[in-house]
Structure formats: structure tokens, C-alpha cells
């Protein structure tokens, strides 16, 4: 990762592809390997909340209870991005999607790297995401630098993707956590 490599690793949803989110060459390589349209942003995994400051300078008030309840877990929150973040990471949206995975291998990778990593699904764009190391090998062959074996991942739905518009939560993508549970969490007093 420090040298700009691409690493496949398991998460609580699918296998993901990690690069250093602050290395623009690594981000470009990630887009090439996945055949991913450059307009699409790449989500980032953190290992602890203190790493949020590397990606955003604003944690919306509505997110505090969600992070307390659902992190670590399959909930991706959309934050205002630091202006210094690469446009490849943000898709030129001015925002960045961030999640804290409960998967031990994912967190060990973040801890060993000592910083956030990307976590876009391990697949060629338009194809199903990999749920095993064998799937990753079939899709990417020798295009990756390392595959961390972690057994089968659950597959199914990905992480729930939540944003904020006009100071209201918005479900951008339905996922493993039902949006109704997200709403109940925020509305609970």
C-alpha cells in the first residue's frame, strides 16, 4: 500500500480493494484495474474515529448517534471532504464516503498501514462483487499486488449508504442496515 499497490481484503459485506487514499497514482491504478468510471467516488475505511480528521473537518451532528450505534458495521456515511482530497477519491462531489468495518482482517490492514484505506468492492465494474479470495483471483488474475485470504464473506447487500441533504438524512443506497433502523436511531430521544 505504501508503494502504491492494490490489495484485496475481506470485509463484512464483500472483498474490497485497498489503496492508499492519499496516493493519486494508486487511485488511478485502482480505476484501471476495476475498469471503473472516473466520475464515481471511492469509499474509505477508517479503523477509529480519530482518522476521520484525515478526510473531513466536519462531522454532522446527525451522524454521532449513527456512529455510536452502527460503527463498526456496514453503514457508510457521506461526509464533506477536505479540499485536499484527490478528485479521484471524491468523484469531484466535494464529499467522501466513510465506514468503519467490524471485520478483523480489514481492521488489521488499516492498523498495519496506520491509516485509512479505500474499500471499493473487489470486482470489475458491472460484475458481481467477490465474496472469496478465489473470486478475486478469477476476476483480477495478476493485476493485484496482494490478496488477503479471509474466507467467504456474506455477500448479499452491501453497506447502507447515508447522506444529508437540507439537514435531513437521505438513503442513497439500501444495504445491510435497513433505512428504517437508521431513522429510528436518529429520531430516538
Amino acid at each position: 500500500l505504501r508503494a502504491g499497490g492494490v490489495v484485496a481484503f475481506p470485509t463484512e459485506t464483500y472483498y474490497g480493494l485497498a489503496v492508499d487514499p492519499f496516493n493519486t497514482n494508486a487511485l488511478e491504478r485502482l480505476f484501471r484495474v476495476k475498469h471503473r468510471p472516473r466520475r464515481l467516488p471511492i469509499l474509505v475505511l477508517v479503523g477509529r474515529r480519530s482518522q476521520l480528521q484525515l478526510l473531513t473537518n466536519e462531522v454532522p451532528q446527525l451522524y454521532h448517534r449513527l456512529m455510536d450505534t452502527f460503527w463498526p458495521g456496514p453503514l457508510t456515511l457521506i461526509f464533506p471532504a477536505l479540499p485536499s482530497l484527490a478528485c479521484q477519491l471524491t468523484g469531484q462531489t466535494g464529499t467522501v464516503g466513510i465506514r468503519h468495518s467490524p471485520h478483523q482482517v480489514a481492521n488489521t490492514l488499516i492498523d498495519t498501514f496506520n491509516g485509512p484505506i479505500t474499500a471499493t468492492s473487489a470486482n470489475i465494474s458491472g460484475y458481481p462483487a467477490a465474496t472469496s479470495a478465489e473470486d478475486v483471483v478469477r476476476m483480477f488474475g495478476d493485476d493485484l499486488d496482494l490478496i488477503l485470504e479471509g474466507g467467504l464473506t456474506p455477500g448479499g447487500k452491501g453497506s447502507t449508504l447515508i447522506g444529508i441533504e437540507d439537514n435531513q438524512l437521505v438513503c442513497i443506497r439500501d444495504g445491510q442496515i435497513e433505512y428504517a433502523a437508521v431513522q429510528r436511531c436518529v429520531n430516538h430521544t
Side-chain angles (χ1 to χ4, degrees):
L1 290 174
R2 290 185 189 100
V6 181
V7 176
F9 66 101
T11 74
E12 73 279 17
T13 55
Y14 302 102
Y15 272 71
L17 295 177
V19 301
D20 177 351
F22 307 107
N23 181 330
T24 55
N25 291 330
L27 288 166
E28 282 299 321
R29 183 167 171 221
L30 180 61
F31 278 99
R32 283 193 309 274
V33 165
K34 276 188 62 96
H35 304 278
R36 184 178 174 91
R38 297 235 175 344
R39 71 183 185 283
L40 298 176
I42 302 287
L43 80 84
V44 179
L45 287 185
V46 295
R48 54 193 161 279
R49 285 193 200 178
S50 62
Q51 292 175 342
L52 288 172
Q53 67 186 349
L54 301 170
L55 303 160
T56 184
N57 59 10
E58 181 185 338
V59 177
Q61 190 61 39
L62 289 172
Y63 286 174
H64 289 280
R65 185 172 283 163
L66 294 177
M67 291 185 296
D68 289 343
T69 304
F70 297 111
W71 277 14
L75 181 69
T76 301
L77 299 172
I78 305 300
F79 292 84
L82 287 176
S84 59
L85 292 184
C87 62
Q88 297 99 321
L89 192 66
T90 65
Q92 299 187 20
T93 61
T95 63
V96 61
I98 305 172
R99 183 169 97 237
H100 181 185
S101 174
H103 200 285
Q104 182 179 352
V105 175
N107 283 305
T108 299
L109 181 59
I110 294 166
D111 288 344
T112 302
F113 181 60
N114 198 29
I117 58 174
T118 65
T120 185
S121 58
N123 64 315
I124 303 297
S125 286
Y127 288 86
T131 57
S132 69
E134 292 79 17
D135 288 348
V136 173
V137 170
R138 277 192 293 278
M139 271 188 251
F140 295 104
D142 294 333
D143 287 342
L144 306 181
D145 299 292
L146 181 66
I147 299 171
L148 297 176
E149 169 64 60
L152 284 175
T153 59
K157 290 183 175 183
S159 66
T160 301
L161 191 56
I162 300 294
I164 295 179
E165 289 180 14
D166 298 324
N167 210 29
Q168 297 291 318
L169 290 182
V170 177
C171 184
I172 298 167
R173 178 181 70 200
D174 188 36
Q176 287 190 13
I177 298 172
E178 292 183 12
Y179 183 55
V182 170
Q183 290 177 305
R184 278 193 305 274
C185 174
V186 169
N187 293 331
H188 177 17
T189 53

